[in-house]
């Protein structure tokens, strides 16, 4: 069979698939329209990218997904999205819709990945940006927000960090960096190198974004793991300043003593300074007959 004949049959099959897809679409039979459009997309990759075809395909995909969701066929919905993404791998609307579906299924990590991929394709796609912010707000513990907005607390940390850096603490380890705020303070104060570790995957991703969008973040190395799991490949030098906020409302609930001890044994130089350097712990005796009984 000659190449011309093969190309002709190829084109005929593509045209037939497109006509079938449109016929079934006009009948609201999206279950049949969708696979025909997939065939057309695979046979005519360049032609499929035309706005007319992309819009029509997205409408069919949306209609089919809506129908399957109403029928409770969530596994089929995911399959449809996966097949659609194969032919439109960088379309922000499709990626965002797929991410929204996964988020509703509590598949937050996959949803986040799709929202970020949508924004890589189009940084100005507001729907993806809004969905990503909503996802982040549901995953980040609520106590982070008032803490980060505590101006007095932040100024105290910044003052202490700046003082230590001015004294000559040029290398810094920030354990439990969270959003990366203290690391940025150290870098801004003039520290030459800052190592920031964060065990929470959600917070590590947040810190990565914060560091990227701040010029001071260029001197911060983010280590997405528990400090107790780090070794010299993560922090290849003995640092001269340790900053940490691994405290809870009861001071010791986040294993700060174990964390700091491990840091002293593995990452801190002799004479290393620590911020905060001390804490007051108040104990109040309580008498209660109901508790005693």
């Amino acid at each position: 069979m000659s190449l011309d004949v093969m190309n002709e049959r190829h084109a005929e099959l593509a045209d037939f698939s497109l006509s079938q897809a449109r016929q079934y679409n006009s009948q609201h039979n999206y279950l049949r329209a969708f696979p025909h459009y997939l065939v057309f997309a695979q046979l005519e990759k360049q032609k499929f990218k035309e706005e007319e075809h992309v819009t029509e395909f997205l409408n069919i995909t949306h209609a089919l997904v809506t129908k399957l969701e109403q029928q409770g066929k969530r596994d089929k919905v995911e399959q449809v999205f996966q097949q659609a993404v194969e032919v439109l791998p960088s379309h922000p609307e499709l990626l965002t819709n797929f991410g929204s579906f996964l988020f509703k299924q509590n598949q937050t990590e996959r949803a986040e990945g799709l929202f970020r991929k949508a924004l890589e394709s189009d940084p100005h796609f507001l729907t993806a940006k809004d969905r990503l912010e909503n996802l982040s707000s549901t995953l980040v513990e609520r106590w982070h927000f008032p803490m980060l907005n505590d101006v007095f607390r932040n100024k105290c940390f910044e003052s202490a960090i700046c003082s230590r850096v001015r004294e000559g603490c040029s290398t810094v380890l920030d354990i439990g960096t969270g959003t990366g705020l203290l690391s940025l303070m150290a870098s801004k104060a003039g520290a030459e190198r800052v190592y920031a570790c964060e065990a929470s995957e959600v917070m590590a991703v947040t810190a990565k974004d914060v560091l990227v969008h701040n010029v001071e973040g260029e001197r911060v190395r983010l280590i997405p793991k528990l400090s107790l799991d780090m070794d010299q490949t993560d922090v290849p030098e003995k640092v001269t300043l340790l900053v940490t906020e691994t405290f809870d409302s009861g001071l010791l609930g986040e294993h700060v003593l174990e964390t700091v001890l491990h840091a002293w044994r593995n990452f801190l130089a002799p004479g290393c300074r620590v911020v905060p350097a001390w804490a007051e712990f108040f104990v109040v005796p309580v008498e209660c007959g109901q508790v005693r009984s």
Side-chain angles (χ1 to χ4, degrees):
M1 184 182 297
S2 68
L3 182 61
D4 290 339
V5 173
M6 290 180 61
N7 288 337
E8 183 178 346
R9 291 189 176 182
H10 181 101
E12 288 176 354
L13 178 57
D15 289 340
F16 173 76
S17 297
L18 179 61
S19 65
Q20 288 293 101
R22 287 175 167 170
Q23 178 181 336
Y24 285 123
N25 185 33
S26 67
Q27 300 170 357
H28 306 292
N29 190 341
Y30 309 113
L31 189 62
R32 287 185 174 273
F34 180 75
H36 280 290
Y37 229 120
L38 284 179
V39 172
F40 170 73
Q42 292 161 352
L43 293 175
E44 293 285 357
K45 290 182 173 62
Q46 288 301 122
K47 193 173 181 180
F48 174 70
K49 293 178 182 179
E50 296 174 5
E51 184 176 355
E52 173 193 4
H53 297 306
V54 171
T55 300
E56 191 171 32
F57 177 73
L58 289 176
N59 289 338
I60 291 173
T61 301
H62 176 72
L64 177 56
V65 162
T66 300
K67 185 174 183 180
L68 291 172
E69 282 189 302
Q70 291 172 347
Q71 296 173 348
K73 299 178 179 179
R74 296 183 182 86
D75 56 331
K76 297 293 184 181
V77 171
E78 182 170 347
Q79 183 179 4
V80 168
F81 271 125
Q82 288 175 337
Q83 292 175 327
V85 167
E86 285 180 7
V87 296
L88 286 177
S90 59
H91 195 282
E93 180 183 344
L94 178 60
L95 293 168
T96 301
N97 289 342
F98 190 11
S100 298
F101 166 75
L102 292 175
F103 179 63
K104 288 188 291 185
Q105 311 308 313
N106 294 318
Q107 298 188 45
T108 52
E109 291 183 20
R110 294 179 63 195
E112 180 185 355
L114 287 165
F115 293 148
R116 292 187 183 281
K117 189 174 180 181
L119 289 172
E120 287 176 7
S121 176
D122 182 0
H124 303 292
F125 191 63
L126 295 179
T127 303
K129 187 175 296 185
D130 181 62
R131 300 281 168 82
L132 181 59
E133 289 177 355
N134 289 340
L135 182 147
S136 298
S137 67
T138 62
L139 295 180
V140 176
E141 297 287 350
R142 305 307 300 174
W143 54 263
H144 278 281
F145 299 98
M147 182 183 72
L148 289 170
N149 285 286
D150 188 333
V151 177
F152 177 73
R153 161 198 163 277
N154 293 340
K155 286 184 176 179
C156 288
F157 265 104
E158 186 170 27
S159 176
I161 291 171
C162 287
S163 295
R164 297 298 175 245
V165 173
R166 283 196 298 266
E167 292 171 1
C169 296
S170 60
T171 52
V172 182
L173 172 59
D174 178 8
I175 295 180
T177 193
T179 59
L181 179 61
L182 301 187
S183 289
L184 289 176
M185 289 178 180
S187 178
K188 185 177 180 180
E192 296 176 6
R193 292 175 298 281
V194 182
Y195 303 92
C197 75
E198 176 54 53
S200 166
E201 183 174 355
V202 172
M203 295 309 302
V205 170
T206 302
K208 182 179 179 180
D209 281 347
V210 171
L211 296 174
V212 166
H213 287 88
N214 286 272
V215 65
E216 293 85 3
E218 294 178 359
R219 292 193 297 276
V220 180
R221 176 180 177 180
L222 181 62
I223 307 165
K225 61 171 64 174
L226 191 69
S227 67
L228 299 177
D229 294 332
M230 295 194 310
D231 55 32
Q232 275 63 44
T233 60
D234 299 303
V235 184
E237 62 183 315
K238 299 292 185 178
V239 303
T240 51
L241 176 62
L242 169 67
V243 297
T244 184
E245 272 193 303
T246 49
F247 310 103
D248 66 353
S249 56
L251 186 62
L252 305 178
E254 291 191 26
H255 310 289
V256 63
L257 296 180
E258 180 184 5
T259 297
V260 173
L261 179 61
H262 179 267
W264 271 111
R265 289 174 172 172
N266 294 276
F267 309 119
L268 309 188
C272 177
R273 307 303 296 268
V274 180
V275 174
W278 58 275
E280 288 185 320
F281 194 78
F282 296 93
V283 178
V284 179
V286 175
E287 182 177 0
C288 177
Q290 290 178 324
V291 172
R292 193 168 58 236
S293 60

